[in-house]
Amino acid sequence: PALEMDIKPIILEGRHVRLQPLTLQHVVAFCEASREWNLTPEKVRSSIESALRQQASGSAVPLATVEKSSGQVIGGTRFLHIVPEHRRLEIGSTWLAKPWRRTVINTEGKFLMLEHAFERLGCTRVEFMADALNEASRKAILRIGAKEEGRLRNYVITEEGDIHDAVIYSIIDSAGTS
């Protein structure tokens, strides 16, 4: 029998990071954390509104990433492409401000999300996807124990109109296989 996946905004907290429900109150903090990309407040607000629409439809749970010692919002992540009937979801749309990349923040955040997905939501599969050209993200996904499953050709068209391949990875609950 399939478990009921209780998909709702949550707070996940570790030693170094707190993942908390994303709200429109995060617009200013996201603008500050994403300065290197020169995003306008309107663009950031639009992106958060889109994530919140996905949450309202039950297909995503967007989270703000907070560095615990300072309380500073330093990025975002989300559970997305949630398919309760198959007990699977994707962890993605993850970004961090430059000073926190390749630190314990991302590793601990992913661990908290994986723990929530497998132990509380009853997932049997968690997926990750990265642009085929994004070597840093691809290596980070492998470091947390995901297995590469394949390349999806011409999967993404960027805002600039470039066509990119994506690489899909997963971590599965082998005890959940029949």
Side-chain angles (χ1 to χ4, degrees), residues 58-77:
S59 66
V61 177
L63 302 163
T65 302
V66 178
E67 197 244 345
K68 274 183 63 173
S69 65
S70 67
Q72 184 177 352
V73 174
I74 59 170
T77 190

Side-chain angles (χ1 to χ4, degrees), residues 131 133 152-158 160-166:
D131 187 303
L133 300 176
L152 304 171
R153 299 176 305 147
N154 288 0
Y155 196 74
V156 175
I157 300 176
T158 67
E160 297 80 21
D162 298 325
I163 299 173
H164 289 221
D165 293 356

